[in-house]
Amino acid sequence: MPDWMSFIIVGLATLFLLGEVFVNVKGIFGILGIGFITIYFAAWLVDPSMFFMMIILYMVGLLLIIIDGKVLNDGTFGVIGLVCMVLSVGITAPNWVAGLYAVIGIFVGGMSSLFFLKVFKKRVMWTKITLFDQLTDEKGYSSMNKSYHYLVGKEGSTITDMRPIGTIRIGEQEFSAISQGKWISKGTNIVITEVDGTKILIKEK
């Protein structure tokens, strides 16, 4: 097999595997991608016992890139994943020329997979991982517990030391509250500045 074929095979494998992640094609791209990368490792590996190890290294690298791009977005996992993929195809190649072609195939295949987003329906699973809509009252959501919402702006006093969590009294009722990192002594007059869920935030009056 000529060295340049490693570019084609690895490029197509990366293209279809990432494409399977990005768009909903009922597993077709996944099957094609696994097929191409299997052909690459089966054809080039001198030691057959390394086959599954290289497959796993390549897939782990691909998974890390996906996690970084869709969840973390800090680049760390992406770089580690790319290194894993490059190592897997580079070590497998019989010479540096075939290895270089294979590495280029990873980059070209990965970038080309983005074009699938313009043609096919985007996979819905990512909306479950990343929340695109803001949870606002106008959209039917509320970040506040409605039973505590009325407390915003109310004045009261602390009945325990706030370190920074403690107990306050508003009228005849007692509530657990947080003083936003500042320690407040018992018996200090306070005002409620914000309610976030069941968390009541206060400041010294």
Side-chain angles (χ1 to χ4, degrees):
M1 185 182 296
D3 293 337
W4 58 266
M5 281 299 295
S6 63
F7 167 76
I8 302 295
I9 297 173
V10 173
L12 288 174
T14 307
L15 171 71
F16 287 122
L17 286 172
L18 281 176
E20 178 64 32
V21 173
F22 293 148
V23 297
N24 187 6
V25 287
K26 303 185 184 303
I28 297 175
F29 284 178
I31 294 172
L32 290 172
I34 292 173
F36 278 115
I37 200 62
T38 299
I39 290 172
Y40 175 78
F41 288 124
W44 289 119
L45 272 175
V46 177
D47 184 0
S49 65
M50 296 290 289
F51 177 81
F52 289 107
M53 183 178 295
M54 292 298 103
I55 283 279
I56 291 172
L57 184 61
Y58 177 89
M59 291 299 183
V60 167
L62 188 66
L63 180 61
L64 290 175
I65 291 174
I66 293 167
I67 291 174
D68 187 271
K70 292 295 182 180
V71 182
L72 301 180
N73 292 304
D74 68 351
T76 304
F77 276 21
V79 172
I80 296 173
L82 184 60
V83 170
C84 289
M85 293 178 70
V86 168
L87 284 176
S88 67
V89 299
I91 293 173
T92 299
N95 56 67
W96 72 269
V97 176
L100 181 60
Y101 275 125
V103 171
I104 295 173
I106 289 176
F107 286 97
V108 174
M111 295 300 295
S112 299
S113 66
L114 297 175
F115 289 106
F116 287 139
L117 295 172
K118 297 182 178 180
V119 180
F120 299 97
K121 183 180 178 181
K122 188 175 181 179
R123 190 174 286 278
V124 180
M125 64 179 287
W126 298 120
T127 60
K128 298 179 181 179
I129 298 177
T130 305
L131 189 60
F132 294 103
D133 292 332
Q134 292 183 333
L135 302 183
T136 60
D137 290 336
E138 291 78 7
K139 293 186 177 181
Y141 299 96
S142 176
S143 61
M144 293 185 176
N145 185 313
K146 292 300 183 181
S147 64
Y148 289 162
H149 191 189
Y150 74 95
L151 292 173
V152 176
K154 296 284 187 179
E155 298 179 3
S157 62
T158 59
I159 58 176
T160 65
D161 291 334
M162 309 294 295
R163 301 183 178 178
I165 299 174
T167 305
I168 62 172
R169 177 179 287 118
I170 305 295
E172 299 298 323
Q173 292 182 291
E174 296 181 0
F175 302 92
S176 178
I178 304 175
S179 61
Q180 303 181 41
K182 183 179 179 181
W183 285 33
I184 301 176
S185 301
K186 176 182 177 181
T188 303
N189 292 329
I190 53 90
V191 60
I192 295 178
T193 59
E194 185 181 348
V195 176
D196 185 4
T198 58
K199 183 168 62 177
I200 300 173
L201 305 179
I202 66 167
K203 69 176 182 179
E204 192 172 350
K205 185 179 176 184

